[in-house]
Amino acid sequence: MFKVQQLSLLTAATAMVLLPYPAFAQARPDSRGDYYSWGGSWIVAINSGSLNCRSGPGTNYRIITRFPKASYLATASELEGNPIEQDRQGRPWVRIKWAGTSTYPCFVRANMSFIGSMDGFDGNQSNCINREIRKGRSFPDAAFDCVD
């Protein structure tokens, strides 16, 4: 048993060294671009306009606030564990902190068309991604080009 645990730790440590950090730690979307695994920080990755943040997980909830393109968003995970909730159609929405408070969160659609996971990127990479999204690039393209 000890050797199996030791091997698992060695495998995990080797993976951390050999794999690029964002590929190892980042929330990953499924084939439709939906995020079902949580991340702690996100960036608004829409092409134009602003991203609606709603009072609940779904378009049937009222809009509480809007976030402009390339805004950084923090997950309100400390409230109730996993911040990802699904609407009636099974689409994921992520609970977001806003206005400096975690007591009144709002929800944004957890899909690559709207947000991108910033977990695992360092400060320089985050700044590069932010600049590229502001220029109109998609989150996946910006993230790919900004990681050395």
Side-chain angles (χ1 to χ4, degrees):
M1 175 91 170
F2 178 71
K3 288 190 187 254
V4 171
Q5 288 175 337
Q6 198 173 26
L7 181 60
S8 296
L9 290 174
L10 179 60
T11 304
T14 303
M16 290 175 72
V17 171
L18 296 178
L19 294 174
Y21 187 65
F24 187 74
Q26 215 176 8
R28 292 283 180 213
D30 66 12
S31 61
R32 294 178 313 273
D34 288 332
Y35 291 100
Y36 287 95
S37 60
W38 65 356
S41 62
W42 305 85
I43 190 166
V44 175
I46 56 175
N47 290 331
S48 63
S50 57
L51 179 63
N52 295 332
C53 203
R54 298 178 177 274
S55 61
T59 56
N60 55 317
Y61 289 91
R62 70 182 173 84
I63 297 168
I64 294 177
T65 192
R66 290 181 171 91
F67 297 110
K69 175 169 58 172
S71 297
Y72 290 108
L73 307 176
T75 301
S77 60
E78 69 280 356
L79 296 176
E80 306 242 337
N82 188 348
I84 302 285
E85 294 186 29
Q86 294 180 27
D87 63 16
R88 292 182 208 167
Q89 291 79 34
R91 294 177 300 204
W93 292 71
V94 64
R95 189 173 46 239
I96 299 295
K97 286 190 243 183
W98 65 280
T101 181
S102 63
T103 58
Y104 198 65
C106 60
F107 292 80
V108 297
R109 181 73 168 80
N111 182 279
M112 279 181 48
S113 298
F114 306 103
I115 60 173
S117 173
M118 294 301 288
D119 292 335
F121 292 108
D122 66 27
N124 290 332
Q125 293 166 335
S126 294
N127 290 336
C128 177
I129 292 167
N130 184 288
R131 277 192 310 274
E132 293 301 310
I133 287 174
R134 287 181 187 277
K135 292 177 187 176
R137 306 236 7 244
S138 71
F139 174 76
D141 289 344
F144 182 80
D145 288 346
C146 291
V147 176
D148 296 327

